[in-house]
Amino acid sequence: MAGRLNRMGHRGELIAEFAGTAVLILFGAGVVAQVVAGELGDHDSIAWAWGIGVMLGVYVAGRTTGAHLNPAVTLGFALFRGFPWRKVLPYVVAQTAGAFLAALIVRWNYTELLAMADPGHTIKTQIVFSTLPGNGTLPVGLWGGLRDQIIGTAILLFVIFALSDTANMAPSANMGPFVIGLLIVGIGMSFGADAGYAINPARDFGPRLASFLTGYGGAWRDQYGDLYFWVPIVGPLIGGVIGAGLYQACIARYLPQGEDRDTVKPSD
């Protein structure tokens, strides 16, 4: 009986990560499609909609899993907060699958606008689904994109660790998603130019795969022809570990001891 309950609980966690990440992408990829293909809105509307998408995704999955919604977050909590390693890969798969399905929905919904704006399905609208160095237009290359993703995700994890640490000044549970949404808006407005602030391997790879399967033959490469798809995967994983590790080394170790910490992980 206990084993069956554990299996059901684990299944529920994966469904929550899938659904929360899907909500994130529906808002995020949706707003980029509206701006790029429909010419409605601008960079600020993109930053705000991504932040809202993350906030709502966290509200969807938060009670069940703590709402990682990002392989870099899952890895950080496994390394530094005791999240079970056996759950890391299933969470990553669920997150990526949720992002993939949501991107397919956005692709389908904006079929006419994407065809009008970019009949050849090129780099011009590829950015709706996945990131590019310099957002496809600015003079940033592959290695600049990697640098940006490491820095951006380090900031993300450093602050998430602070926001989830009850020994620090963590917001109350119902306000946590709102503040994390503001964090994403801030990163988008401050670190969005060099590489589109993917800061999440699932957010980039799932939609990139969806776009490739629906007509974007150049989805794996950047505007220079270089294989770029690995940058928003490797960069965030490295940056996430750096950011989480810096928080633990520079902040957490000096906080008052003996207080319960919110590890943002479901029970084993």
Side-chain angles (χ1 to χ4, degrees):
M1 181 67 174
R4 181 171 178 271
L5 290 175
N6 285 338
R7 287 194 298 274
M8 290 180 63
H10 187 47
R11 183 186 308 157
E13 293 167 22
L14 299 183
I15 292 171
E17 286 293 310
F18 175 94
T21 311
V23 167
L24 185 165
I25 297 299
L26 286 171
F27 282 87
V31 71
V32 181
Q34 182 168 276
V35 172
V36 171
E39 298 183 350
L40 298 172
D42 54 20
H43 172 76
D44 285 356
S45 58
I46 290 174
W48 278 107
W50 273 108
I52 291 169
V54 170
M55 176 189 71
L56 296 177
V58 175
Y59 274 121
V60 166
R63 186 61 181 264
T64 307
T65 66
H68 296 187
L69 314 185
N70 182 339
V73 173
T74 301
L75 178 61
F77 279 100
L79 283 169
F80 299 106
R81 291 281 181 85
F83 182 77
W85 280 100
R86 71 178 186 279
K87 295 185 178 182
V88 170
L89 182 58
Y91 268 48
V92 170
V93 171
Q95 293 156 1
T96 305
F100 173 78
L101 177 62
L104 286 179
I105 293 172
V106 171
R107 176 71 173 89
W108 179 38
N109 187 61
Y110 282 98
T111 298
E112 296 85 0
L113 291 187
L114 290 169
M116 175 192 71
D118 182 21
H121 300 316
T122 67
I123 289 289
K124 180 180 178 180
T125 56
Q126 172 61 38
I127 201 168
V128 168
F129 303 99
S130 56
T131 57
L132 292 164
N135 292 317
T137 59
L138 299 174
V140 179
L142 185 148
W143 298 110
L146 181 64
R147 175 195 64 220
D148 174 87
Q149 286 302 285
I150 292 172
I151 294 171
T153 315
I155 295 169
L156 176 71
L157 265 291
F158 188 90
V159 178
I160 283 178
F161 264 50
L163 294 174
S164 62
D165 191 346
T166 55
N168 203 331
M169 296 180 65
S172 59
N174 61 341
M175 284 297 295
F178 176 75
V179 179
I180 290 173
L182 290 180
L183 169 61
I184 300 302
V185 174
I187 291 175
M189 289 184 171
S190 304
F191 289 87
D194 277 4
Y197 69 108
I199 56 176
N200 181 339
R203 166 266 177 274
D204 196 87
F205 182 77
R208 193 181 294 271
L209 177 61
S211 66
F212 175 74
L213 295 176
T214 57
Y216 286 84
W220 307 113
R221 297 183 180 272
D222 62 20
Q223 64 269 33
Y224 308 109
D226 296 324
L227 277 177
Y228 186 79
F229 76 93
W230 61 272
V231 171
I233 297 173
V234 174
L237 293 176
I238 294 173
V241 171
I242 291 172
L246 283 174
Y247 178 83
Q248 293 299 109
C250 300
I251 304 296
R253 65 185 297 186
Y254 299 111
L255 294 173
Q257 301 299 309
E259 300 183 36
D260 291 334
R261 293 181 185 272
D262 183 357
T263 59
V264 192
K265 69 181 183 67
S267 61
D268 295 353

